[in-house]
């Protein structure tokens, strides 16, 4: 655990939890600031924290506010992340700049995982990972989530990678980068908004106890220098034909408007939320809640 300093602030419950070795679940903030529309974003952020507590763990939502890294957010902090207009989107490479300039940013999977590990937290729940974008062979757009997870000992519970991505290419990159993937009660890689992306995965687990055993074994065989991904499919998926249509129109619109870099993912998610009349939002919320619950169960079951 890092020492108390003016650049790192722990919430009271996270600080106590770390000292006492209690189960803690890291939560990202980009999904709050840039992944979900207002006002639902704040409601969901609160509910997700409540779910983690109900399942016996301590929530540690991570963000940078006015140059201070926060591990665990107060109600006021959570409101700031959800509602302030000056919250940037920070990947790992942006963290030092945000801190040094005293500005504020929500943290992506890459940045959240980095800060969680720094704080001594090893279980992390999110919605869908970033990955290789469609057309990446031209644009080179691949999320830094992948390279970050290749060097961090963290378990990430997610509904696969976002369906806006090139899922097959992302799975190949996960393999190359040494990032293990297990399907929770499935051998199909989840497709974020969709239960099944159409790609199969090699390893399927049936229980939280099995995941806890894998976590122990990772340390024993020394493969815990890279992340473990627990892919948890959404139960009630988005209507497939509207998913396909909205994705096609979103990709075309992004191209037309010259959307590139870190703006691509928020743009496409926003397009989904606007065009699906609440359906993608409902699914996105289901995903993050289910992942938070499973992450807390894993944190509780993990041998310390
Ligand atoms: N999952 C969601 N909503 C999101 C994200 C993930 O359900 O907004 C965010 C995560 O923070 C992830 C980021 O790290 O999108 C990926 O962005 P990019 O493709 O620019 O790396
Ligand atoms: Mn990108």
């Amino acid at each position: 655990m890092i020492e108390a300093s003016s650049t790192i602030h722990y919430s009271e419950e996270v600080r106590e939890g770390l000292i006492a070795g209690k189960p803690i679940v890291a939560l990202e903030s980009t999904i709050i600031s840039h992944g979900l529309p207002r006002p639902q974003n704040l409601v969901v952020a609160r509910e997700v924290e409540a779910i983690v507590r109900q399942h016996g763990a301590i929530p540690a939502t991570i963000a940078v506010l006015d140059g201070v890294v926060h591990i665990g957010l107060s109600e006021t902090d959570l409101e700031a992340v959800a509602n302030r207009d000056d919250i940037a989107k920070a990947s790992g490479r942006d963290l030092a700049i945000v801190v040094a300039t005293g500005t504020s940013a929500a943290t992506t999977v890459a940045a959240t995982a980095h800060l969680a590990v720094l704080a001594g937290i090893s279980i992390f729940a999110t919605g869908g990972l970033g990955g290789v974008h469609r057309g990446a062979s031209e644009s080179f757009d691949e999320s830094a989530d992948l390279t970050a997870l290749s060097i961090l000992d963290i378990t990430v519970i997610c509904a696969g990678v976002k369906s806006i991505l090139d899922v097959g290419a992302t799975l190949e990159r996960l393999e190359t980068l040494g990032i293990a993937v297990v399907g929770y009660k499935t051998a199909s890689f989840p497709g974020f908004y969709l239960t099944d992306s159409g790609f199969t995965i090699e390893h399927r687990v049936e229980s939280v106890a099995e995941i806890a055993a894998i976590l122990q074994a990772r340390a024993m065989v020394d493969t815990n220098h890279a992340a473990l991904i627990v892919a948890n499919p959404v139960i009630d998926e988005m209507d497939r034909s509207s998913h396909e249509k909205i994705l096609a129109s979103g990709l075309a619109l992004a191209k037309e408007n010259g959307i590139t870099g870190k703006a691509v993912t928020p743009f496409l998610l926003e397009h989904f939320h606007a065009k699906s009349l609440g359906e993608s939002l409902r699914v996105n919320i289901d995903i993050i809640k289910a992942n938070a619950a499973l992450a807390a169960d894993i944190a509780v079951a993990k041998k310390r």
Side-chain angles (χ1 to χ4, degrees):
M1 184 190 157
I2 25 184
E3 293 303 310
S5 72
S6 54
T7 43
I8 311 235
H9 177 269
Y10 293 87
S11 70
E12 203 54 39
E13 60 175 340
V14 169
R15 171 179 296 283
E16 284 171 15
L18 282 168
I19 292 165
K22 288 187 186 155
I24 304 179
V25 173
L27 299 164
E28 61 143 318
S29 46
T30 293
I31 188 164
I32 306 171
S33 298
H34 305 283
L36 298 169
R38 295 173 189 159
Q40 291 96 331
N41 60 347
L42 180 58
V43 178
V44 175
R46 286 188 186 124
E47 284 176 352
V48 166
E49 291 203 345
I51 288 168
V52 169
R53 290 195 185 92
Q54 280 156 23
H55 285 253
I58 296 166
T61 306
I62 294 177
V64 189
L65 289 170
D66 305 310
V68 179
V69 171
H70 284 62
I71 315 278
L73 299 182
S74 69
E75 177 58 29
T76 323
D77 298 336
L78 213 53
E79 268 175 45
V81 167
N83 292 329
R84 264 168 59 170
D85 290 322
D86 64 339
I87 309 287
K89 171 180 166 186
S91 189
R93 69 174 188 162
D94 306 310
L95 286 173
I97 300 162
V98 174
V99 167
T101 53
T103 53
S104 303
T107 49
T108 63
V109 167
T112 306
H114 174 82
L115 292 171
V117 168
L118 191 64
I121 302 169
S122 64
I123 310 290
F124 171 20
T126 183
L129 293 184
V132 181
H133 282 261
R134 293 162 194 243
S137 59
E138 292 276 312
S139 70
F140 279 64
D141 189 355
E142 174 182 323
S143 178
D145 289 357
L146 296 181
T147 44
L149 295 179
S150 74
I151 53 164
L152 293 169
D153 177 11
I154 194 152
T155 299
V156 186
I157 295 77
C158 60
V161 300
K162 282 183 283 287
S163 49
I164 57 175
L165 301 169
D166 183 335
V167 178
T170 305
L171 283 168
E172 292 294 347
R173 291 291 289 146
L174 289 169
E175 180 184 1
T176 306
L177 293 167
I179 302 168
V181 182
V182 296
Y184 185 67
K185 298 184 177 169
T186 184
S188 305
F189 193 58
F192 191 56
Y193 292 134
L194 306 175
T195 301
D196 178 354
S197 66
F199 290 86
T200 55
I201 42 179
E202 192 178 347
H203 305 292
R204 169 184 176 135
V205 292
E206 302 301 333
S207 68
V208 167
E210 269 180 67
I211 298 167
I214 293 169
L215 292 181
Q216 256 196 311
R218 272 163 57 82
M220 280 171 352
V221 298
D222 194 24
T223 53
N224 54 359
H225 46 78
L228 170 69
I229 290 173
V230 177
N232 186 28
V234 71
I235 311 243
D236 190 6
E237 69 176 7
M238 209 183 140
D239 178 77
R240 283 191 170 248
S241 72
S242 70
H243 177 272
E244 206 171 306
K245 276 188 216 131
I246 295 170
L247 179 56
S249 63
L251 291 169
L253 209 59
K255 198 168 185 182
E256 233 173 84
N257 290 311
I259 309 289
T260 56
K262 70 208 272 183
V264 172
T265 298
F267 178 87
L268 289 174
L269 293 179
E270 164 60 28
H271 178 77
F272 261 92
H273 297 329
K275 293 289 168 208
S276 71
L277 307 170
E279 173 77 345
S280 69
L281 183 58
R282 195 267 306 155
V283 178
N284 207 336
I285 293 170
D286 280 4
I287 287 170
I288 171 83
K289 286 184 181 174
N291 294 346
L294 180 57
D297 291 345
I298 294 168
V300 168
K302 185 175 184 260
K303 300 264 181 311
R304 255 159 279 271

